[in-house]
Amino acid sequence: MNIKNLNRPSSRVDVILDTDTFNEIDDQFAVAYMLKNADKLNVKAIYAAPFLNEKSTSPKDGMEKSYDEIHKILGLMGADVNVYKGSERFLSSETQPESSPAAEHLARLAMDYSPENPLYVVAIGAITNIASAVLINPKIVDNIVVVWLGGNALHWHDTKEFNLFQDVAAARVIFGCGAALIQLPCMGVVSAFTLSEADIRHWLSGKNKLCDYLAQSTIDEASSYAAGRPWTRAIWDVTAVAWLIDGRFLEERLEHSPIPEYDGHYAFDGRRHFIRYVYHIHRDALAEDLFNKLTS
């Protein structure tokens, strides 16, 4: 790994977005925010990631619903980006990839890059597609920088976070393969990036079709669990994109790569390679930029 690749890029870069877009509304915000930063990010493709919860009947169903949702957001924005279907299952082991159009595309595409000119991979779901690409073609680890929103903070009491715990094997591949990795932990760090109903209605509603869709979807989602009560909604997936945009949005440090264990905790080994670890989000600065970009 070129440790310099743990630093934020200073010029426009090529990027892939891997997202379980139908899972929660924050993915749609992240897709839109990435495309609205075209001056800094050249989006080469978007991958649909698998997920399994009450919104899907299987990882395959979650991935296919995400694939359709990606196209919906692109349609609202009038954007033209290549979209690839991802894995239909989570990894069954740490050595066997789940082949998919997304994994195979990344395994090929990353060979066009180098440690001096890496491809940035922003992942905001279970990291199955990216781990599969690494297992298909281990040579790509030197040519990519993975920016993953997954796991919980190192001080949190467990790692039973949705993106990580759905596919612990994939997380172990990514944390252990030696690729440059920026981790944005969920609970205890990016969980601080929330928007309230008042924020949504004031800053987004009525601004354009995209903003109306994001605003109403967020309000509808919140009404299902907070009807009649005050609420804020974590839009944490946006923070993974924000890492590439501007250092003033967050605080970070180097850490030895932790080891996600199958029992829901991290193990630690001070001999392991470094990753960049985000430990704080400057909520107001990022919210201002997000609103400005989405309404432009």
Side-chain angles (χ1 to χ4, degrees), residues 13-262:
V13 294
D14 290 352
V15 62
I16 297 289
L17 179 64
D18 186 78
T19 163
D20 57 348
T21 326
F22 194 77
N23 172 38
E24 294 182 292
I25 187 60
D26 53 333
D27 288 83
Q28 289 93 323
F29 275 85
V31 172
Y33 187 52
M34 175 171 281
L35 294 171
K36 287 286 189 176
N37 279 284
D39 60 321
K40 294 185 177 181
L41 306 177
N42 178 32
V43 182
K44 302 293 288 185
I46 301 177
Y47 300 156
F51 75 90
L52 176 61
N53 61 12
E54 68 279 358
K55 290 187 176 181
S56 65
T57 59
S58 67
K60 176 183 178 181
D61 180 56
M63 181 275 293
E64 290 180 338
K65 286 177 176 175
S66 294
Y67 179 83
D68 292 339
E69 187 71 8
I70 293 165
H71 281 289
K72 180 181 288 187
I73 297 298
L74 294 178
L76 287 168
M77 299 183 71
D80 183 17
V81 179
N82 291 324
V83 183
Y84 294 85
K85 289 188 175 182
S87 304
E88 297 182 355
R89 294 171 294 276
F90 302 123
L91 293 191
S92 59
S93 77
E94 296 174 31
T95 58
Q96 183 64 38
E98 285 293 337
S99 183
S100 68
E104 291 165 4
H105 178 261
L106 179 58
R108 293 192 308 271
L109 179 65
M111 293 305 293
D112 295 334
Y113 295 82
S114 68
E116 295 72 35
N117 177 38
L119 173 66
Y120 289 81
V121 181
V122 176
I124 52 177
I127 204 158
T128 312
N129 294 334
I130 315 309
S132 292
V134 168
L135 293 174
I136 290 169
N137 184 5
K139 293 180 181 178
I140 70 173
V141 298
D142 292 328
N143 298 348
I144 60 174
V145 177
V146 180
V147 184
W148 187 39
L149 184 136
N152 289 328
L154 297 180
H155 68 269
W156 202 253
H157 59 274
D158 64 36
T159 60
K160 295 180 180 179
E161 178 276 325
F162 189 70
N163 291 350
L164 190 155
F165 217 59
Q166 286 189 108
D167 197 339
V168 178
R172 286 169 64 89
V173 169
I174 294 303
F175 276 92
C177 70
L181 174 64
I182 290 82
Q183 183 191 13
L184 292 102
C186 293
M187 295 307 297
V189 180
V190 301
S191 51
F193 188 68
T194 64
L195 302 179
S196 68
E197 181 176 7
D199 289 328
I200 296 291
R201 292 190 184 279
H202 178 78
W203 296 105
L204 295 181
S205 294
K207 300 301 190 293
N208 56 46
K209 289 182 179 180
L210 170 68
C211 289
D212 282 342
Y213 178 73
L214 296 174
Q216 195 59 53
S217 296
T218 307
I219 292 168
D220 290 346
E221 185 180 279
S223 68
S224 68
Y225 64 84
R229 304 193 305 273
W231 57 265
T232 61
R233 179 65 174 84
I235 310 293
W236 47 23
D237 283 349
V238 168
T239 63
V241 179
W243 184 85
L244 283 167
I245 303 304
D246 197 320
R248 66 190 176 91
F249 298 146
L250 43 82
E251 302 293 337
E252 58 198 354
R253 64 176 183 258
L254 293 179
E255 289 280 354
H256 292 284
S257 180
I259 306 167
E261 298 283 25
Y262 289 96

